[in-house]
Amino acid sequence: MTRSLVLAEVIDGVLAPVTAQAVTAAASLGGDVVLAVVTQEPHDLIEAASLVGVTEIVTVAAPGSDRDHEQALAAAAALVADVDPDQVLAGFTIRSSAYAAALGHLLDLGVVTDAIALRRDESGPLIATRSVYDGRVHAEVELDASRPGLVLVRPSTWEAAEPGGSPTVRSLAVDLPESRVRSVELVRPSGDVDLTRADVIFSVGRGVGSQENVAVFAEVAAKFGAALGSSRPIVDAGWLPASHQVGQTGTTVKPRLYVAFGISGALHHLAGMQNSQTIVVVNSDKNAPLFGHADVGAVEDIHDVVEQLNLLA
Amino acid sequence: MKVLVCVTQVLEVSTYVEFTADGRAVDPAFVTALVNEADLCAVEEALVLVEHAGDGEVVLVSAGEGEADEALRSALSLGPQRAVRAWADGVVASDPRSVAAALMAVVESESPDLVLTGVQSSDTGAQSVGPVLAAMWGVACVPVGRRLSASGSTLALEREFEGGIVERVEVDLPAVVTVQVGANTPRYGSFKDKMRAKKADIDVVVPSSLPPSRTTVARLCVALTGAGRSLELIEGGPAAVAARIADLVREVQS
Ligand SMILES: Cc1cc2nc3c(=O)[nH]c(=O)nc-3n(C[C@H](O)[C@H](O)[C@H](O)COP(=O)(O)OP(=O)(O)OC[C@H]3O[C@@H](n4cnc5c(N)ncnc54)[C@H](O)[C@@H]3O)c2cc1C
Ligand SMILES: Nc1ncnc2c1ncn2[C@@H]1O[C@H](COP(=O)(O)O)[C@@H](O)[C@H]1O
């Protein structure tokens, strides 16, 4: 029987959604699913971690912050030694990627990051599918069966396991090192817009071309009662404050209508908007990957379209 | 201050692709090779650090066969002093641990104060080479970093997390940092640097031992798009597109 170890991700004392998704991915392989919760007060999370499909919860009390990847690495190494799993799963997130490949090296595990599917054929090797080249190609990667595999699963790809399981619970004491990365200050986003509350978002990407053009879109968005979002390069360029950025390192939004102007559709942007109810894409390149995730699309120059929109507002 | 920057070539594939006969790679006829965008941001970050330090050098390294020289030459044209290539038969280009072991041979021969990588290869995005390299070298890694500044043997920088959270951190050198894409605007480099890059000698360092590869790319296939949605294309020019968008907005708001 196979055994999976799922490494939970805890952010601000709460289980991140990707953890319940990783549990589903692990449960799909059958066998035992051990969920490890490494955080300052793991006992507060037992109920949340008692997901259907989890057979055992192992807690590790860890004094560091949830951003301390050196501590996460040491805890994960101890957990793998203790649980002796056939495969280890965690989310493909900044916190997990910070230590996953190092863990793979230290314990000689096969590592696949950003997996979108996982299967094992008839006692054969574990096979993880990755989406590569802008999502145009899928690569099936085989993990060496002689060693445990470590797979980071793409968020929002598996359904979340439901609460209400009845796993056994135990704790594991691990001596954790102090991180060599010293925290000086934590800066949380603050800003002039709250995109999470908007019903309609007009979002601009690099295709907008200049700060002056961003202002044109801002004006038209306001006339339509839409909030203004953007892809990351617009924020990097200083054309909009960070509070406007949609995506993995920005805000996750789920409006009733998301209109993307001149945004190509990188995975990191998709991560923040793919669950919008209706997605509209305007892009002059008919091959832009975002068209593959849209309900309505137009292959047009966004400047021509915004000019026409302005007349209708 | 000596900064080693890891640069790699990434592939942009055309919309229509075919694969090689063994099904494990994209047929070269359907790809364009470029320098990874995040790596150019890492080079820029390194050049600024060395300028501020007042002395030192920026050395580039790429693990790959002959074509890696192209990535090295285009990154050299931004102004780094030297470039080295790491390769041996047996390095598995698709395995970050194998690539990191090759790069490690150059870390050992160069003994830099700081190693920078990009946050990820834009084509296959493992986000793994930096963290593995740091583990092999036995130093700390700060992933997804930007705004680096050094004072003595301490490096200060910002690291990013999901949801717009930023942490300012410090780490003692030597260390590895993976530089976020868009962290800065890489310079173009002077005409002189471009000419120098064209003619530069690129030594090859051969790693002496490689870890076993625990992953194998078994098969590639064309991805089906759709993601559960079906696309309705609006024809009829910008006015028709604007009218449709205005309708959709009104539907939501009514
Ligand atoms: C760890 C990490 C986290 C990240 N987090 C985020 C994040 O939170 N959010 C985010 O957005 N990105 C994020 N990124 C960056 C992401 O990978 C992409 O680089 C970014 O999303 C690209 O933005 P874009 O689509 O605006 O630009 P591009 O990819 O350059 O696309 C511009 C598009 O505009 C089109 N275009 C150009 N001119 C016109 C015109 N006149 N009319 C119509 N179309 C036009 C082009 O055809 C192209 O498709 C992250 C990256 C990393 C590595
Ligand atoms: N073959 C390579 N040679 C040199 N550096 C590399 C190579 N592959 C990856 N890197 C570096 O590691 C970073 C992350 O790559 P990856 O782990 O593939 O996402 C890249 O941005 C490069 O800086």
Side-chain angles (χ1 to χ4, degrees), chain B residues 6-8 36 39 61-63 99 103 117-118 120-121 125-129:
Chain B
C6 305
V7 299
T8 187
N36 188 32
D39 302 358
V61 59
S62 189
V99 166
L103 298 172
T117 72
Q120 68 164 42
S121 306
Q127 297 190 18
S128 294
V129 169

Side-chain angles (χ1 to χ4, degrees), chain A residues 180-234:
Chain A
R180 292 169 292 183
V181 181
R182 300 183 294 275
S183 180
V184 177
E185 189 189 6
L186 183 67
V187 189
R188 292 186 186 271
S190 63
D192 54 336
V193 285
D194 183 359
L195 293 177
T196 61
R197 289 166 185 276
D199 278 335
V200 181
I201 296 176
F202 284 6
S203 215
V204 290
R206 189 132 66 177
V208 73
S210 70
Q211 187 157 20
E212 293 72 52
N213 291 338
V214 173
V216 175
F217 280 87
E219 199 177 308
V220 171
K223 284 188 188 168
F224 276 95
L228 186 68
S230 79
S231 67
R232 179 178 178 110
I234 305 306

Side-chain angles (χ1 to χ4, degrees), chain B:
Chain B
M1 178 173 210
K2 182 168 177 177
V3 186
L4 185 68
V5 185
C6 305
V7 299
T8 187
Q9 230 187 11
V10 291
L11 303 181
E12 262 188 12
V13 311
S14 56
T15 323
Y16 173 78
V17 290
E18 287 180 16
F19 303 109
T20 51
D22 67 2
R24 294 177 175 196
V26 175
D27 183 326
F30 300 90
V31 305
T32 318
L34 302 165
V35 188
N36 188 32
E37 188 182 351
D39 302 358
L40 293 175
C41 295
V43 172
E44 175 66 32
E45 212 65 38
L47 290 169
V48 172
L49 280 172
V50 168
E51 279 161 17
H52 282 184
D55 77 320
E57 60 174 342
V58 176
V59 181
L60 304 177
V61 59
S62 189
E65 296 192 78
E67 69 278 358
D69 283 354
E70 285 172 39
L72 288 171
R73 285 187 203 284
S74 45
L76 265 181
S77 72
L78 272 62
Q81 278 75 11
R82 291 186 289 123
V84 190
R85 184 160 66 82
W87 190 252
D89 285 339
V91 176
V92 181
S94 64
D95 180 0
R97 187 179 177 205
S98 186
V99 166
L103 298 172
M104 190 59 213
V106 177
V107 172
E108 271 161 3
S109 63
E110 295 285 341
S111 301
D113 300 295
L114 173 66
V115 174
L116 300 183
T117 72
V119 63
Q120 68 164 42
S121 306
S122 64
D123 54 353
T124 52
Q127 297 190 18
S128 294
V129 169
V132 188
L133 185 59
M136 286 176 181
W137 195 16
V139 304
C141 177
V142 183
V144 203
R146 63 196 302 168
R147 294 190 217 280
L148 281 64
S149 66
S151 128
S153 64
T154 303
L155 185 76
L157 69 154
E158 290 181 2
R159 60 182 298 208
E160 285 185 39
F161 291 90
E162 282 86 3
I165 291 177
V166 172
E167 186 177 32
R168 291 206 300 119
V169 298
E170 281 181 4
V171 65
D172 291 334
L173 298 175
V176 173
V177 174
T178 82
V179 176
Q180 172 65 309
V181 60
N184 52 45
T185 310
R187 66 193 68 186
Y188 275 105
S190 63
F191 179 70
K192 212 173 108 221
D193 284 329
K194 289 202 166 76
M195 294 315 288
R196 195 174 49 85
K198 252 189 206 161
K199 297 196 207 105
D201 291 323
I202 298 178
D203 286 340
V204 179
V205 171
V206 179
S208 54
S209 72
L210 293 170
S213 193
R214 301 295 183 196
T215 55
T216 317
V217 176
R219 193 174 78 96
L220 299 185
C221 62
V222 172
L224 298 169
T225 51
R229 299 180 192 254
S230 64
L231 180 67
E232 164 210 334
L233 269 184
I234 316 170
E235 312 277 351
V241 175
R244 182 83 171 92
I245 293 173
D247 283 348
L248 285 166
V249 175
R250 289 189 185 113
E251 265 171 44
V252 166
Q253 287 172 342
S254 65

